[in-house]
């Protein structure tokens, strides 16, 4: 009685294997020649399909984002790990470039491969090879929206077959050669450097042309070979068209018949970015309803983490208890109070709030303002009360200070109350006791929130940021300025009394990031610097001079500073604003910063992509894009201190990498360029998983290539990646594609610097 069912099961399994093998061997697209009317292609609103002349034609309405006008075909069955060749004929009356994605048929719509299909006016073949990462039913999606006027695309001979081994090898070698000239898709300054990078096997110079929006040649030249770049795995050449000085839109660099993405040339390249990158912080606010008429209707949401169900709220948060607390902090630490720690910014893609990350982020917004006031010659828009999209417009305080205040007030709330053990110390962080799913809007988060043990690093972060804020708020709100300075001094004394209270690693025991740090010499130096600049009190100068960071180097070629290494922040501010320093000390500090800027410029000269960054062993670090920006801030200080234009031009050119002059040929800032990151890891900007939710707002920086593959998506899709290509624009690739407050803050700083500097 059991033999027949077993035989039937075996036959069924054999048939399934046979059919799967046949599907992989044969063409997977039904009626891809569009001769029988049996194809399964579909389209969303704004795309009308018709069959004409043995082709499938799509009439696409103008406007929208690329993903608002979709064409696709479903139910493709791939074998995980197998490689496939996608071929098709494309026809359009206009020159077009549009994304084509291979992704899962259903939520979470996991992307397996992304290409850019390029078609010149007329008919053109497209062919590519990709590797399937999973066996789930998949779809091919064409992103066709965003055009200025309606257009038509026709498809023919669409086919997907398993690739032959020799095709896989040839495709891998062909990828770099197939890229067009890599350019800054955001644009170039009229009087600045204008260079593009070409990946080519050629060893001799190549001819290049510069075309305007109408395709008219407006410049010509020869590239300069720049050698083999290990981070891109290719020989490189540089097309230099810096001498071109005609403002306009839609320019392209053409090499070997291949055209770059379009770009502009002008005087104001980053003014809008300054506004967008700063306005990004408003929707990150916790404890306040985000208004659609300010942030944009797509970003409106209720206030997060109040006491409204299902939230357990941030208004009465107690300390972490139980087994996890004991394992992290030992049996001796606890607290019997509850704190109102509402407000502040959500840190990143999660909904935790961390003082050390908030500290560097708010300091760099304050630094943006201070730099604009001191070096902007009274004309910088940073002093404007209508600079960003926030509800405080028109209150008599510069918008950037209003935004910074939202975080500073939260950081003060994190201080241990008087009369309690560790009074004056600052709790390291507050977040959920369990990780939440993606997506998860803040007001729907049901998890318990908990305060974690104070740390010396968090306490010194408050001391530094509050001292900096005190001097900047003084002309606008004397009472708040005094509150900040009192908090800074109190935190300084508390940290001195508890110098080794470190934040530990958790090994996944908690529902938030660790931000662990066992070296607080840099935080001490930074806090002393800000307190001295603000007060001029001798005791802070004494603390500076006894620091190991007083005279030694503080800027690493990997990254000048980040949340864990903040000595560079203190050094920069002493150089830029340390007028109280004795003349000899002031000279020493300024020379060290200018010398570091020169070292970064020397490093940049060796980079065929123009970025100021060369990590150890060519392994790109977590948040590599923000590390590039931090290095640029040091070079910008070199310009502010000397007026030497080479420093300004160095910053301008390094920005090229962020906006498309990279081996991914994409802009890492949402909304800028022809192809840009738009699926950064976030629990509420989760359009990739839920089409009722938005993508991140314009001005969102993606973390960027990360050679250490830490998330499942990166491990599956980026194994063996070259350093510059260790990136995927997927919402679950949090190791390479997260957004964070401390990454957008330096973007604000550099955008503002470049918008102001002349």
């Amino acid at each position: 009685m059991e033999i027949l069912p077993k035989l039937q099961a075996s036959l069924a399994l054999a048939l399934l294997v046979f059919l799967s093998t046949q599907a992989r061997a044969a063409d997977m697209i039904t009626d891809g020649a569009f001769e029988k009317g049996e194809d399964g292609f579909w389209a969303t609103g704004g795309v009308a399909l018709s069959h004409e002349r043995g082709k499938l034609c799509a009439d696409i309405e103008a406007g929208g984002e690329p993903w608002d006008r979709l064409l696709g075909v479903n139910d493709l069955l791939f074998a995980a790990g197998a490689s496939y060749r996608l071929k098709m004929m494309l026809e359009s009356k206009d020159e077009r470039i549009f994304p084509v994605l291979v992704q899962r048929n259903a939520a979470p719509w996991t992307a397996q491969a992304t290409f850019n299909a390029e078609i010149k006016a007329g008919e053109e073949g497209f062919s590519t090879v990709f590797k399937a990462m999973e066996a789930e039913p998949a779809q091919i999606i064409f992103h066709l929206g965003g055009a200025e006027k309606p257009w038509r695309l026709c498809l023919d001979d669409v086919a997907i077959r398993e690739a032959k081994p020799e095709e896989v090898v040839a495709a891998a070698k062909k990828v770099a050669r197939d890229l067009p000239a890599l350019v800054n898709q955001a644009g170039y300054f009229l009087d600045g450097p204008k260079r593009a990078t070409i990946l080519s096997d050629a060893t001799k110079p190549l001819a290049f042309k510069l075309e305007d929006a109408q395709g008219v040649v407006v410049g010509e030249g020869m590239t300069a070979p720049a050698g083999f770049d290990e981070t891109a795995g290719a020989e490189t050449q540089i097309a230099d068209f810096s001498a071109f000085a005609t403002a306009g839109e839609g320019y392209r660099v053409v090499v070997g018949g291949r055209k770059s993405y379009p770009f502009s040339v002008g005087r104001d390249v980053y003014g809008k970015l300054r506004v967008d990158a700063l306005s990004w912080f408003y929707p990150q606010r916790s404890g306040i309803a985000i208004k659609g008429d300010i942030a944009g209707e797509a970003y409106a949401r209720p206030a997060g983490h109040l006491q409204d169900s299902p939230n357990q709220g941030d208004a009465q948060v107690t300390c972490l208890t139980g087994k996890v607390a004991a394992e992290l902090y030992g049996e001796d630490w606890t607290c019997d109070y509850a704190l109102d720690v509402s407000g502040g910014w959500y840190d990143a893609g999660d909904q935790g709030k961390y003082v050390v990350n908030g500290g560097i982020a708010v300091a760099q917004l304050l630094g943006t303002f201070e730099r604009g006031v001191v070096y902007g010659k009274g004309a910088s828009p940073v002093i404007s009360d209508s600079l960003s999209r926030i509800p405080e417009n028109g209150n008599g305080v510069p918008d950037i200070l209003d935004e910074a205040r939202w975080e500073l007030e939260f950081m003060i709330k994190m201080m241990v109350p008087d009369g309690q053990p560790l009074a004056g110390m600052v709790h390291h962080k507050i977040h959920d006791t369990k990780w939440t799913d993606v997506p998860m809007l803040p007001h729907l988060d049901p998890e318990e929130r908990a305060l974690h043990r104070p740390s010396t690093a968090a306490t010194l972060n408050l001391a530094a940021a509050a001292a900096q804020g005190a001097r900047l708020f003084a002309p606008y709100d004397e009472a708040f300025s005094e509150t900040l300075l009192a908090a800074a001094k109190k935190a300084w004394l508390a940290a001195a009394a508890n110098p080794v209270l470190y934040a530990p690693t958790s090994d996944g025991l908690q529902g938030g990031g660790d931000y662990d740090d066992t070296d607080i010499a840099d935080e001490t130096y930074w806090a002393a610097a800000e307190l001295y600049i603000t007060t001029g009190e001798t005791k802070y100068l004494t603390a500076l001079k006894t620091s190991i960071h007083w005279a030694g180097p503080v800027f690493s070629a990997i990254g000048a500073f980040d949340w864990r290494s903040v000595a560079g922040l203190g050094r920069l501010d002493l150089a830029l604003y340390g007028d109280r320093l004795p003349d000899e000390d002031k000279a020493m500090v300024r020379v060290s910063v200018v010398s570091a800027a020169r070292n970064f410029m020397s490093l940049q000269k060796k980079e065929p992509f123009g970025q100021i960054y060369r990590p150890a062993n060519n392994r790109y670090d977590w948040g590599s894009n923000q590390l590039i920006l931090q290095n640029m801030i040091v070079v910008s200080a070199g310009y502010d201190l000397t007026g030497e234009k080479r420093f300004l031009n160095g910053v301008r050119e390094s920005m090229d990498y962020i906006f498309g002059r990279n081996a991914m040929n994409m802009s890492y800032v949402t909304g800028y360029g022809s192809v840009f990151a738009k699926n950064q890891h976030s629990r509420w900007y989760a359009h990739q998983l839920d089409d009722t939710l938005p993508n991140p707002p314009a001005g969102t920086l993606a973390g960027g290539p990360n050679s250490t593959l830490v998330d499942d998506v990166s491990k599956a899709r980026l194994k063996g990646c070259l350093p510059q290509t260790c990136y995927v624009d997927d919402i679950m690739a949090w190791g390479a594609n997260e957004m964070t407050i401390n990454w957008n803050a330096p973007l604000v700083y550099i955008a503002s610097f470049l918008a102001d500097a002349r």
Side-chain angles (χ1 to χ4, degrees), residues 71-90:
L71 170 66
V73 61
N74 291 349
D75 300 325
L76 304 175
L77 297 177
F78 300 124
S83 294
Y84 295 85
R85 175 173 288 281
L86 166 64
K87 297 179 67 176
M88 55 188 164
M89 294 300 296
L90 306 172

Side-chain angles (χ1 to χ4, degrees), residues 200-273:
S200 171
D201 291 336
T203 57
K204 295 182 179 180
L206 302 170
F208 75 88
K209 297 178 181 179
L210 181 65
E211 290 184 354
D212 66 13
Q214 287 71 46
V216 177
V217 176
V218 294
E220 297 181 277
M222 300 296 292
T223 63
F228 184 82
D229 186 274
E230 294 183 1
T231 69
E235 294 288 341
T236 61
Q237 306 230 6
I238 295 176
D240 190 338
F241 52 104
S242 301
F244 182 76
T246 301
E249 304 280 340
Y251 292 110
R252 297 176 187 261
V253 173
V254 185
V255 181
R258 296 187 62 80
K259 296 185 178 183
S260 73
Y261 287 128
F263 56 87
S264 64
V265 174
R267 296 191 182 279
D268 182 13
V269 180
Y270 300 111
K272 181 178 182 295
L273 177 64

Side-chain angles (χ1 to χ4, degrees), residues 270-594:
Y270 300 111
K272 181 178 182 295
L273 177 64
R274 168 165 51 192
V275 175
D276 286 343
L278 176 59
S279 298
W280 176 89
F281 283 85
Y282 169 55
Q284 288 294 116
R285 291 186 189 183
S286 175
I288 184 175
I290 304 305
K291 297 181 178 180
D293 60 342
I294 297 174
E297 290 302 329
Y299 301 101
R301 61 169 173 81
H305 295 97
L306 298 181
Q307 303 305 119
D308 298 332
S309 179
N311 276 175
Q312 299 189 39
D314 287 354
Q316 292 181 316
V317 183
T318 57
C319 290
L320 187 70
T321 59
K323 180 180 178 181
V324 173
E327 290 188 32
L328 287 174
Y329 306 119
E331 299 288 349
D332 296 334
W333 177 75
T334 186
C335 76
D336 60 2
Y337 53 82
L339 293 183
D340 176 0
V341 290
S342 56
W345 299 317
Y346 294 121
D347 178 66
D350 65 332
Q351 291 155 19
K353 298 185 289 191
Y354 310 86
V355 171
V356 295
N357 221 34
I360 186 173
V362 75
Q364 294 202 285
L365 290 193
L366 292 170
T368 303
F369 176 78
E370 191 162 20
R371 191 262 156 205
V373 170
V374 175
Y375 294 95
K377 301 175 183 177
S380 174
V382 299
I383 65 174
S384 171
D385 188 18
S386 57
L387 177 64
S388 62
R389 297 182 288 274
I390 58 173
E392 294 87 355
N393 284 163
N395 68 351
V397 178
D399 282 357
I400 198 167
L401 293 186
D402 283 323
E403 194 59 67
R405 182 171 186 154
W406 195 261
E407 182 71 6
L408 288 169
E409 289 180 334
F410 157 74
M411 292 172 68
I412 293 174
K413 290 179 179 180
M414 292 287 280
M415 186 175 279
V416 177
D418 292 340
Q420 297 288 342
L422 302 177
M425 293 291 284
V426 176
H427 286 277
H428 196 70
K429 56 184 181 173
I430 177 259
H431 56 63
D432 296 331
T433 56
K434 297 178 182 178
W435 286 106
T436 55
D437 294 330
V438 181
M440 175 68 69
L441 280 127
H443 69 286
L444 299 178
D445 176 8
E447 298 298 335
E448 179 186 3
R449 308 277 277 179
L451 291 166
H452 284 249
R453 190 183 70 180
S455 71
T456 309
T459 306
L460 289 167
N461 264 261
L462 174 60
Q468 183 183 13
R471 65 178 180 265
L472 301 178
F473 273 94
Y476 304 98
D477 189 334
E478 185 176 354
F480 186 56
S481 172
E482 291 174 356
T483 297
L484 288 171
L485 187 56
K489 290 181 175 181
K490 185 176 183 178
W492 173 262
L493 292 175
N498 301 276
V500 291
L501 204 57
Y502 301 135
T505 56
S506 71
D507 295 325
L509 291 173
Q510 51 180 308
D514 291 335
Y515 290 97
D516 54 298
D517 190 358
T518 57
D519 176 8
I520 53 90
D522 53 316
E523 284 88 355
T524 305
Y525 173 81
W526 176 34
E530 300 300 346
L531 280 160
Y532 179 71
I533 294 169
T534 298
T535 69
E537 294 179 19
T538 304
K539 60 182 177 182
Y540 301 122
L541 180 59
T542 300
L544 283 169
K545 290 190 172 184
T546 57
S547 170
I548 61 171
H549 297 296
W550 171 245
V554 295
F555 303 113
S556 165
I558 297 174
F561 30 76
D562 57 27
W563 66 264
R564 184 183 272 122
S565 303
V566 292
L569 287 175
R571 180 70 60 85
L572 277 187
D573 280 2
L574 285 170
L576 293 169
Y577 316 115
D579 293 335
R580 299 177 188 266
L581 285 169
D583 289 345
E584 183 177 347
D585 295 333
K586 187 190 306 180
M588 180 272 292
V589 169
R590 290 184 172 179
V591 165
S592 72
V593 170
V594 174

